[in-house]
Amino acid sequence: MSRQKIAAGNWKMNLTLEEGRLLVEALTQSAGTPKAEVVLCPPFMHLTMVKSLLAGADGFSLGAQNCHQELKGAFTGEVSAPMLKSAGVEYVILGHSERREYFGETDALLAKKVDRVLEEGLRPIFCCGEPLPIREEGTHVAHVRAQISASLFHLSPDLFSRIVIAYEPIWAIGTGRTASPEQAQEMHSAIRSLLAEHFGAEMAGQTPILYGGSVNAGNAASLFSQPDVDGGLVGGASLKTEEFLQIVRSF
Ligand code: 13P
């Protein structure tokens, strides 16, 4: 069975409403019918606008960048999974390294967020990845295996089948220093083996594993041509119409 291909754009904390509107209009007008599913992940306050701009755009869906672990209540400033669902969101990025680093998100907290998102019928894009010292020490595979098992291995096979994994080496995020296609393939293949050990080969074979970290129009095709790289989670380059469209066409 062929695996789902995904090009996801993580806008992070960028673009005003007007800038976001112009970007989405330009993307949907020029994308045609994309070969991969294109998931746009704007800031929370852009979600409903982007949802209406995507009406009728083939192959595009909407993602959020985070979600609170509780369903509702006195959590000033937070956004819940039911709210995201009501805005037409289908995917939620969880465990981005920026959330882990700047907002103290732990593996255990992320396990709760994953549960909440799945309960609402949304699909987590679960991020993992090692910092530079861990890569240099050579323990990067063990590091990523530990992140995945701590936050995802409590799931039933049925729930796990909705997960998308994004491998984002921290040293490659926003640095212009991309993992080589071989480095990405090595890790993606290790992740797939780990999933096979725990959930079986069939599940491992159908789980999309995206690469993130300085993906651009020039390197996307060589990354996406690796057998275990099923697409990308793109930061900076997803804010530029032509650059992101080229990435979307790199499958
Ligand atoms: P850059 O593509 O800007 O390196 O960001 C990657 C990322 O963090 C996507 O989530």
Side-chain angles (χ1 to χ4, degrees), residues 114-144:
V114 165
D115 289 344
R116 211 50 85 230
V117 162
L118 287 168
E119 266 168 36
E120 291 307 310
L122 309 176
R123 297 187 65 184
I125 299 177
F126 179 81
C127 301
C128 53
E130 80 286 357
L132 190 58
I134 298 283
R135 164 69 56 172
E136 286 172 346
E137 200 178 277
T139 53
H140 45 289
V141 170
H143 182 88
V144 166

Side-chain angles (χ1 to χ4, degrees), residues 86-157:
S86 72
V89 165
E90 291 167 69
Y91 292 86
V92 184
I93 297 173
L94 291 177
H96 193 282
S97 60
E98 290 150 18
R99 301 271 343 153
R100 293 177 190 260
E101 183 178 350
Y102 307 137
F103 301 94
E105 297 196 359
T106 61
D107 293 338
L109 175 70
L110 291 169
K112 289 188 194 153
K113 292 191 175 206
V114 165
D115 289 344
R116 211 50 85 230
V117 162
L118 287 168
E119 266 168 36
E120 291 307 310
L122 309 176
R123 297 187 65 184
I125 299 177
F126 179 81
C127 301
C128 53
E130 80 286 357
L132 190 58
I134 298 283
R135 164 69 56 172
E136 286 172 346
E137 200 178 277
T139 53
H140 45 289
V141 170
H143 182 88
V144 166
R145 284 175 67 103
Q147 287 178 320
I148 291 175
S149 50
S151 299
L152 299 180
F153 278 10
H154 64 290
L155 295 172
S156 66

Side-chain angles (χ1 to χ4, degrees), residues 46-60:
H46 298 53
L47 288 169
T48 53
M49 175 190 74
V50 174
K51 182 67 185 176
S52 33
L53 292 170
L54 292 182
D58 262 2
F60 280 80

Side-chain angles (χ1 to χ4, degrees), residues 8 10 12 93 96-98 127 168 172-176 212-215 233-238:
N10 176 7
K12 308 191 181 182
I93 297 173
H96 193 282
S97 60
E98 290 150 18
C127 301
E168 299 204 309
I173 295 178
T175 57
S214 298
V215 175
L233 179 55
V234 185
S238 76

